[in-house]
Amino acid sequence: MKKLSKESKQFSRRSFLGTAATAAAGITILPSNVIAGLGHKAPSDKLNIVGVGVGGMGFANLKNLESENIVGLCDVDWKYAKNCFDHFPKAKKYKDWRTMYDEMGKEFDAVVIATADHTHAITAAHAITMGKHVYLQKPLTHTVYESRLLTKLANQYNVATQMGNQGASGAGVAETCELIWSGAIGEITKVEAFTDRPIWPQGLNTPEQGQWVPDTLDWDLFVGPAKMRPYNEIYHPWNWRGWWDYGTGALGDMACHILHPVFEGLKLGYPTKAQGSSTLLLNDCAPTSQAVKLTFPEREKVGKVKMPEVEVNWFDGGIKPMLPDNWPAGKDPNKSGGGTFFYGTKGTLHVGCYGVQPEIIGGETPKVAKTERRVEDELGLAWNKGAHEMDWVRACKEKAENRKPTTSDFAEAGPFNEMVVMGVLAVRLQALNKTLEWDGENMKFTNIGDDEVIKTVVKDGFKIHDGHPTFDKTWTDPVSAKEFAAELIKHDYRKPWSLPDMPA
């Protein structure tokens, strides 16, 4: 195993840097389900779990894990996290995850992470190098590089992982895949999917003035590896989803739910082409509506079903694809927050978010063989009432050599998330006015020239002057499009924050 770089070792405040270096050198600090005698209960009994980012979805995840021991809680905002702190009064409380990992490294087996998108990778990656199992909220990461890193690290350290797209543990994804693989609608060459999100503000101008940081919030820790900017309540809590520095907009938030049956059912890998468009694209805030087209090359057959080149189209912000010709008049295509149309040579399949309620339009939906797991049936829990979390607990307690993967372990969730954030890249690079060609293996665009530049609107400058609408847009300076794209693919972290090295 490679040792961490000097820069990587400087990210911690205390002796955690020694822990990370030890793990990277091959002397992995193993959790209690591998080594006994660390003061834990046996793995057949309960896991010791810590949470990072526990004010919102993290609290919901932890409540679904109450059968285990919740021993540590970390959040940068103790007011937002108060309900979780009160619910688990015996858990140790922290603001800095590095301090928690350092002080409790020998006391916990697994971590649940539900921070803002931009800190998913760094909190998860360092936990993995400590030999900890990881449940990480969706989207898995903020960038393509970070997704690739977590995929490889999880494989290297043989830990149990799960992305928090909880619908993966319901019946919908399994049923959709089984229908596609049965050949019921033939060869699929086009997919169109949409969500009704965002339900948080997007398309906003950047605040021109900062605000006093609340006493309960550590703003520096929230910003973490992103560039520092003045605090404003418009960023935190929750609304960070719509700001590029911290979130991935409606696409990143919902595509991990809606496109999961697309990625799995069509056996997708890396796209070869990407194109995006949107309403007014701002430098700092995601647009109100977006459209993306990703093209995937021909894949191997699944049984007797061919997998030809396919276009996957995405719409959000209230924009939906045109309905099929034989769509029943008056029927709403939105099921549970979105919907997807699979266009095949024999028919059209429509499913909702999480693949729920699959149906062939204008024809009878056949009964097909059940070949995929139904976790909610196995565990007797609904997919949104703990099945997804408890499937991860099951995997954590199994020996690595005999472990049955979770329904969204990083081996699948990593490449899938690369697809999702590729949509974000396409939108943010739309000013190049061309279809982008993508080399997935090497994580780079192949048709952005050295002389191409890109600039983005900083603020729209909208005013009413004598009853007439006017715009006086402020733009960024032109920058190298190749360098801008490279930063979107792999962020240059603010010091002293850094990631472990990418495994070979």
Side-chain angles (χ1 to χ4, degrees), residues 178-196:
E178 289 160 357
L179 270 171
I180 291 170
W181 299 338
S182 75
I185 63 168
E187 300 172 17
I188 297 168
T189 56
K190 184 173 72 170
V191 176
E192 294 182 327
F194 73 95
T195 181
D196 59 7

Side-chain angles (χ1 to χ4, degrees), residues 166-182 257 260-262 264-265 349 351-358 368-378 383 407 412:
Q166 61 271 15
S169 290
V173 175
E175 291 172 353
T176 299
C177 290
E178 289 160 357
L179 270 171
I180 291 170
W181 299 338
S182 75
H257 295 310
H260 189 199
V262 180
E264 185 173 342
L349 175 65
V351 306
C353 183
Y354 321 114
V356 299
Q357 302 173 28
V368 299
K370 291 185 177 181
T371 60
E372 302 304 293
R373 295 179 65 208
R374 269 75 164 164
V375 174
E376 57 185 4
D377 293 338
E378 288 180 8
W383 60 266
T407 53
E412 178 179 289

Side-chain angles (χ1 to χ4, degrees), residues 19 57 60 170 213 264 288 305 482:
T19 304
M57 193 63 191
V213 180
E264 185 173 342
T288 55
V305 182
K482 183 173 282 188

Side-chain angles (χ1 to χ4, degrees), residues 183-239:
I185 63 168
E187 300 172 17
I188 297 168
T189 56
K190 184 173 72 170
V191 176
E192 294 182 327
F194 73 95
T195 181
D196 59 7
R197 290 343 186 242
I199 53 175
W200 51 87
Q202 290 188 185
L204 302 178
N205 289 317
T206 306
E208 295 186 357
Q209 290 186 328
Q211 297 174 335
W212 290 109
V213 180
D215 292 340
T216 56
L217 171 65
D218 190 317
W219 180 241
D220 182 68
L221 289 178
F222 176 87
V223 173
K227 65 182 180 183
M228 177 53 68
R229 65 171 68 245
Y231 164 78
N232 191 289
E233 63 184 358
I234 204 167
Y235 303 128
H236 169 81
W238 209 69
N239 293 327

Side-chain angles (χ1 to χ4, degrees), residues 183-461:
I185 63 168
E187 300 172 17
I188 297 168
T189 56
K190 184 173 72 170
V191 176
E192 294 182 327
F194 73 95
T195 181
D196 59 7
R197 290 343 186 242
I199 53 175
W200 51 87
Q202 290 188 185
L204 302 178
N205 289 317
T206 306
E208 295 186 357
Q209 290 186 328
Q211 297 174 335
W212 290 109
V213 180
D215 292 340
T216 56
L217 171 65
D218 190 317
W219 180 241
D220 182 68
L221 289 178
F222 176 87
V223 173
K227 65 182 180 183
M228 177 53 68
R229 65 171 68 245
Y231 164 78
N232 191 289
E233 63 184 358
I234 204 167
Y235 303 128
H236 169 81
W238 209 69
N239 293 327
W240 50 261
R241 290 166 172 80
W243 296 91
W244 291 132
D245 278 355
Y246 317 123
T248 47
L251 197 163
D253 189 80
M254 288 301 292
C256 288
H257 295 310
I258 294 170
L259 294 182
H260 189 199
V262 180
F263 185 84
E264 185 173 342
L266 299 183
K267 298 296 182 183
L268 300 178
Y270 305 134
T272 54
K273 299 176 183 178
Q275 187 177 354
S277 65
S278 70
T279 51
L280 178 65
L281 179 65
L282 295 166
N283 191 57
D284 294 332
C285 194
T288 55
S289 299
Q290 304 169 112
V292 171
K293 182 174 74 173
L294 302 175
T295 304
F296 295 84
E298 181 180 358
R299 285 91 56 221
E300 293 183 2
K301 287 182 180 180
V302 178
K304 295 182 179 180
V305 182
K306 292 182 178 180
M307 295 284 165
E309 181 180 85
V310 61
E311 290 182 0
V312 177
N313 298 273
W314 171 267
F315 306 87
D316 63 40
I319 305 301
K320 296 190 289 287
M322 297 297 106
L323 298 171
D325 292 339
N326 54 351
W327 183 257
K331 182 174 182 175
D332 189 352
N334 187 338
K335 297 177 181 178
S336 302
T340 301
F341 296 99
F342 295 86
Y343 290 92
T345 53
K346 296 180 182 179
T348 302
L349 175 65
H350 173 249
V351 306
C353 183
Y354 321 114
V356 299
Q357 302 173 28
E359 57 182 339
I360 294 177
I361 305 305
E364 185 176 347
T365 303
K367 291 184 178 180
V368 299
K370 291 185 177 181
T371 60
E372 302 304 293
R373 295 179 65 208
R374 269 75 164 164
V375 174
E376 57 185 4
D377 293 338
E378 288 180 8
L379 301 180
L381 295 166
W383 60 266
N384 59 347
K385 298 294 183 181
H388 203 53
E389 291 91 341
M390 292 308 296
D391 190 43
W392 171 66
V393 168
R394 183 269 313 157
C396 292
K397 293 180 179 181
E398 292 176 354
K399 292 183 178 179
E401 59 268 24
N402 300 318
R403 182 181 295 139
K404 178 168 58 178
T406 60
T407 53
S408 196
D409 74 310
F410 290 3
E412 178 179 289
F416 172 34
N417 199 76
E418 290 190 35
M419 167 191 176
V420 172
V421 292
M422 178 54 59
V424 175
L425 281 168
V427 169
R428 298 197 67 184
L429 294 168
Q430 64 181 279
L432 295 176
N433 294 312
K434 62 182 176 182
T435 298
L436 299 168
E437 296 176 0
W438 178 245
D439 177 357
E441 191 66 34
N442 295 301
M443 294 185 287
K444 65 179 182 180
F445 293 106
T446 59
N447 66 332
I448 299 180
D450 293 337
D451 58 344
E452 290 187 87
V453 297
I454 196 167
K455 61 180 183 176
T456 314
V457 175
V458 176
K459 59 181 180 179
D460 58 24

